[in-house]
Structures are given as structure tokens and as C-alpha cells.
Amino acid sequence: QVQLVESGGGLVQAGGSLRLSCAVSGSILSINAMGWYRQAPGKQREWVADISTGGSTNYADSVKGRFTISRDNAENTAYLQMNSLKPEDTAVYYCNAAIREVATSYIRGYWGQGTQVTVSS
């Protein structure tokens, strides 16, 4: 079975930093694009950033210049470095990855369980 596990969330004051990790494990044939999403209380899940296999990145306007997405293909891990955090960044952050699973050979999106990020003012 394929599993995505996020870690690195926590409580931080405004202006602080956190680094989230997303580790992929299981019977995987390949990992394509990876991304980070977040969901604040009472709001829909929104896209934050994504990164291609080759390292091309895209960011939501709300996090440009503050967040950096990266990946280590050898370790099947994606990261989200979050700097200059604001209270409005408070949300559960989810990792998503397009994965070709050995069991099915199909490519589909997988989600992690999420990690809570709380930014206090």
C-alpha cells in the first residue's frame, strides 16, 4: 500500500518559520508531480504549491516569496519551507502526489493525513 506521511507542523508565532516534510512509502513504480495544499477551518482546501519531477515549481499568490517547495527524489520526499508565517497561514497542510502504484500500474493522486500549522499573532 502507498502511504504519504506529513510531518513538521506545529505552533509558531507570526514571522516565524516551519519546514514540512512529506515522505512517500510503499509499492511505488514512480512519483510524478507533488504538491502541498491547505485547509483552514470553515474553508475549502486550497492549492499552495507544486513541483514537477524535474524541479519546476509553482506557487499560490498568497505564499509567493515566503514558501519554497522542494523534493528529494532519491528519498521520495517533498518539503515545504515556510518563512514569514502569518496568522492566515493557519491550516491543516496536506501533501499530494501523483503516483504510479505497482499493484495497479495506474497513476492517481494520493493524499497524506495532514499536519496542523498554527500561527499565533
Side-chain angles (χ1 to χ4, degrees):
Q1 70 283 15
V2 176
Q3 184 172 238
L4 277 64
V5 179
E6 300 98 333
S7 61
L11 175 64
V12 65
Q13 290 185 297
S17 298
L18 285 173
R19 192 190 195 205
L20 307 183
S21 298
C22 172
V24 179
S25 63
S27 300
I28 299 166
L29 212 55
S30 64
I31 303 175
N32 298 113
M34 303 185 75
W36 288 94
Y37 295 73
R38 66 187 182 187
Q39 187 166 22
K43 299 179 65 178
Q44 290 187 259
R45 188 171 299 184
E46 66 173 341
W47 167 75
V48 174
D50 59 49
I51 184 167
S52 71
T53 303
S56 179
T57 60
N58 295 288
Y59 299 92
D61 288 341
S62 59
V63 305
K64 284 181 180 177
R66 300 188 298 120
F67 291 10
T68 302
I69 186 171
S70 61
R71 65 190 291 170
D72 185 336
N73 291 334
E75 297 295 329
N76 292 336
T77 302
Y79 304 94
L80 186 69
Q81 177 67 47
M82 305 185 294
N83 299 324
S84 301
L85 283 163
K86 306 173 181 178
E88 50 262 46
D89 294 319
T90 295
V92 176
Y93 283 71
Y94 297 91
C95 179
N96 176 267
I99 298 172
R100 189 186 299 277
E101 188 177 350
V102 171
T104 65
S105 81
Y106 301 153
I107 298 176
R108 74 174 183 91
Y110 290 82
W111 292 95
Q113 83 287 353
T115 185
Q116 177 71 49
V117 172
T118 302
V119 184
S120 65
S121 58

